[in-house]
Each structure stands twice: as structure tokens, then as C-alpha cells.
């Protein structure tokens, strides 16, 4: 039974018009998965040009030929040929297995399937952060080639994409938590974004075992050293010109839970995209 049929049988989504509940008629074959509205390969940028296409010739005001700055290299995707392949995998592989196979274990997409390039890069970062390289995981579109954020509609990794680093460290998590417990945004000159980040951590992030450092890194005892480290990695091949963000997780379970939350949301989204199907709200049951 497919994920969609299973959700219909549980009463969580409505069947499409003319479709009976599972068990009353043969289920649809795996080949009937809905086609994505946004097609494309990770090897292609937003304009549809492949990573190996020639750069257009530009001219300056005098009419002389000007050399265009090369865009960051976008590798071919060794995991998913296109968005439809990703959609099918999301619907057929359990979330925990998906996270292991395509986020935790393989060489990240942004590193061109080059294990030595990836190990060298994260070893350098680990040395700057004073952690073990095994504690560093790359997530997001830089990891699988497409964004797993349900709000970004499977956006392909492109020349403007940043890198989202997950660092598993109980030591740094506890130190950051200790600092935030003593921080009062009312005192001093806290910016609106920093105050918002502070309350988001108190309301949920810390409970879920994570510290999002983007707005609060300067508040942390190790903030200056880490800021310099992230800037260094943004100037280190193959991530030259890319912003590098970092989130601290207390343990691997916290990181896995966070990633599985996104995968589960995407599975539900995909399972309800057939016309005439929509999620059934609790008060409708």
C-alpha cells in the first residue's frame, strides 16, 4: 500500500473524485506518482542552463568584450536525477532511513562526490571550531541537491545557495544554553532580530536540543572565533563565495529528529498534492 493509500485508509486525507478507499479497488501503481510542477535537474541553475554551458559574452560601455565572473560550480547530482526522483524517494523511503542515506552518510552534493575534498574541508573547519570532524554534518540543499525545507518548494542548489552546518556537541550546546539562560534582551541594546531569536530559543529550539547561531553567535563565549572560522570556510574551495551557517545540536538524536521533521512534512505535502485531495482537519472527523 502506498503512502497516499495508507493516509486515506487512516482518514487523514480525502480520496480524489472517483477513487475508492484502499481495499475496495486495486491501488494505484507506483508509476502514478503526481508529477511535480517544478521540473529540473540539480545540474542546472535557475535559468535552466547546465553547469557546463559556456558563459555569455558581455560587453562594457565602450563595446569591448568583458569577461564574466564565473559562477560557483554546480556538480551533477549522483543521488537524484531530478525533482521527480526525489519525490519518489521521499514517498517510498522511511524518514529515518532517508536522513541516514542522503544526509548523514554520503558525500554532500556541494562537494562533487569527492570524499577527499569533503574530508579535507570539514577537517579544516573542525580544527577552527576545536571539535572532532565526525561531529560535523552538512544539511540542506548543499547536502542532497534540493532544499528539504517545506517552504522552499524543492529549490535546487544553485550559485546563491548557502551551506547549513550541523555540529553535534554536548559541550558547546550546554555552554550556549548556559549563556542564553543568563542573557536578558531587555538589558543593553539588543536588536529586534536578536530579541526574536532569543525568544525562539526559549520557546522551542533549546527544548528540541538545538542552538541556531545565526543571530546570537556574537553573544556566545566562542562567538568571535567561530565567526572567523565560518568566514574562512566561505573562502575555501569548493565553497568560495558562499555563506556558511551553523546550528549546534546536543546529540545525533536531536539532529535526526530535526531533519525527520522536514522529511515528514514533505511526505504529507506530496501525499496531498493530487487534485481533489486535501488534509482532513481534526474538527472535521
Amino acid at each position: 500500500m502506498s503512502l497516499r493509500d495508507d493516509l486515506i485508509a487512516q482518514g487523514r486525507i480525502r480520496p480524489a473524485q472517483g477513487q475508492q478507499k484502499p481495499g475496495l479497488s486495486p491501488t494505484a501503481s507506483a508509476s502514478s506518482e503526481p508529477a511535480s510542477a517544478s521540473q529540473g535537474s540539480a545540474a542546472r541553475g535557475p535559468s535552466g542552463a547546465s553547469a557546463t554551458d559556456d558563459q555569455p559574452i558581455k560587453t562594457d560601455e565602450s563595446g569591448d568584450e568583458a569577461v564574466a565572473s564565473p559562477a560557483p560550480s554546480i556538480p551533477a547530482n549522483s543521488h537524484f536525477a531530478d525533482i521527480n526522483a526525489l519525490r519518489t524517494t521521499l514517498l517510498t523511503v522511511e524518514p529515518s532511513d532517508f536522513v541516514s542515506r542522503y544526509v548523514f552518510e554520503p558525500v554532500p552534493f556541494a562537494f562533487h562526490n569527492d570524499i577527499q575534498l569533503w574530508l579535507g574541508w570539514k577537517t579544516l573547519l573542525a580544527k577552527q571550531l576545536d571539535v572532532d570532524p565526525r561531529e560535523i554534518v552538512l544539511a540542506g540543499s548543499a547536502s542532497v541537491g534540493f532544499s528539504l525545507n517545506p517552504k522552499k518548494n524543492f529549490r535546487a542548489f544553485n550559485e546563491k545557495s548557502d551551506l547549513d552546518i550541523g555540529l553535534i556537541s554536548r559541550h558547546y550546546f550546554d555552554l550556549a544554553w548556559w549563556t542564553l539562560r543568563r542573557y536578558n534582551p531587555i538589558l543593553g541594546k539588543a536588536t529586534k532580530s536578536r530579541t526574536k531569536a532569543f525568544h525562539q530559543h526559549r520557546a522551542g529550539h533549546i527544548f528540541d536540543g538545538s542552538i541556531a547561531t545565526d543571530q546570537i553567535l556574537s553573544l556566545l563565549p566562542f562567538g568571535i572565533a567561530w565567526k572567523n572560522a565560518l568566514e574562512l570556510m566561505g573562502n575555501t574551495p569548493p565553497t568560495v563565495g558562499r555563506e556558511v551557517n551553523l546550528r549546534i545540536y546536543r546529540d545525533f538524536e536531536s539532529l535526526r529528529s530535526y531533519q525527520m521533521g522536514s522529511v515528514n512534512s514533505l511526505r504529507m505535502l506530496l501525499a496531498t498534492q493530487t487534485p481533489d485531495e486535501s488534509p482532513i482537519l481534526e474538527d472535521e472527523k
Side-chain angles (χ1 to χ4, degrees):
M1 181 181 293
S2 69
L3 174 63
R4 180 177 295 106
D5 290 336
D6 190 34
L7 292 173
I8 292 174
Q10 296 175 31
R12 297 178 66 185
I13 64 173
R14 299 183 181 87
Q17 286 186 340
Q19 179 184 352
Q20 294 178 308
K21 288 189 175 183
L24 300 181
S25 64
T27 58
S29 66
S31 62
S32 63
E33 292 294 346
S36 170
S38 54
Q39 302 286 342
S41 167
R44 297 185 175 272
S47 64
S50 69
T52 58
D53 289 343
D54 292 335
Q55 294 291 328
I57 298 176
K58 297 183 179 180
T59 58
D60 56 25
E61 294 180 355
S62 66
D64 295 331
E65 182 177 316
V67 179
S69 300
S73 176
I74 308 298
N77 198 317
S78 60
H79 300 309
F80 308 107
D82 52 32
I83 294 177
N84 278 338
L86 172 61
R87 290 162 57 93
T88 299
T89 304
L90 283 167
L91 287 168
T92 56
V93 176
E94 288 299 314
S96 183
D97 289 343
F98 183 95
V99 171
S100 290
R101 295 183 192 181
Y102 302 106
V103 180
F104 285 178
E105 300 299 338
V107 177
F109 171 79
F111 287 81
H112 306 257
N113 202 34
D114 187 333
I115 182 65
Q116 297 304 324
L117 185 63
W118 166 233
L119 291 178
W121 190 93
K122 74 170 182 173
T123 297
L124 175 59
L125 175 58
K127 186 178 296 184
Q128 303 300 313
L129 302 180
D130 194 23
V131 299
D132 189 279
R134 289 285 293 176
E135 297 175 324
I136 293 175
V137 175
L138 187 58
S141 62
S143 176
V144 300
F146 296 96
S147 175
L148 297 180
N149 185 332
K151 298 179 182 179
K152 294 186 178 180
N153 195 29
F154 301 106
R155 182 186 302 165
F157 183 77
N158 57 67
E159 65 275 6
K160 295 182 180 180
S161 298
D162 54 15
L163 272 73
D164 296 319
I165 299 294
L167 172 67
I168 298 88
S169 173
R170 181 168 299 188
H171 167 72
Y172 283 113
F173 176 87
D174 288 345
L175 184 54
W177 182 16
W178 178 88
T179 302
L180 287 173
R181 286 183 60 184
R182 286 156 177 76
Y183 174 70
N184 189 337
I186 299 176
L187 303 176
K189 298 181 179 179
T191 63
K192 184 177 295 185
S193 59
R194 182 176 293 173
T195 300
K196 179 181 178 181
F198 172 79
H199 289 297
Q200 286 176 333
H201 279 84
R202 293 197 63 173
H205 289 335
I206 290 178
F207 178 82
D208 293 331
S210 68
I211 303 285
T213 66
D214 51 351
Q215 293 293 336
I216 65 169
L217 188 57
S218 62
L219 299 175
L220 305 178
F222 46 85
I224 295 177
W226 280 29
K227 180 177 182 295
N228 293 336
L230 297 180
E231 290 178 351
L232 171 65
M233 304 317 296
N235 289 292
T236 301
T239 57
V240 175
R242 297 190 185 278
E243 182 177 354
V244 182
N245 304 308
L246 189 148
R247 184 180 287 245
I248 307 170
Y249 293 90
R250 191 170 189 269
D251 46 40
F252 268 100
E253 182 181 1
S254 299
L255 175 57
R256 183 181 294 276
S257 178
Y258 181 86
Q259 294 296 318
M260 285 177 59
S262 295
V263 172
N264 274 316
S265 296
L266 287 171
R267 282 164 61 89
M268 178 61 76
L269 180 66
L270 291 172
T272 59
Q273 280 187 341
T274 296
D276 302 319
E277 290 186 356
S278 60
I280 297 177
L281 304 178
E282 289 297 324
D283 56 4
E284 295 180 335
K285 294 183 179 180

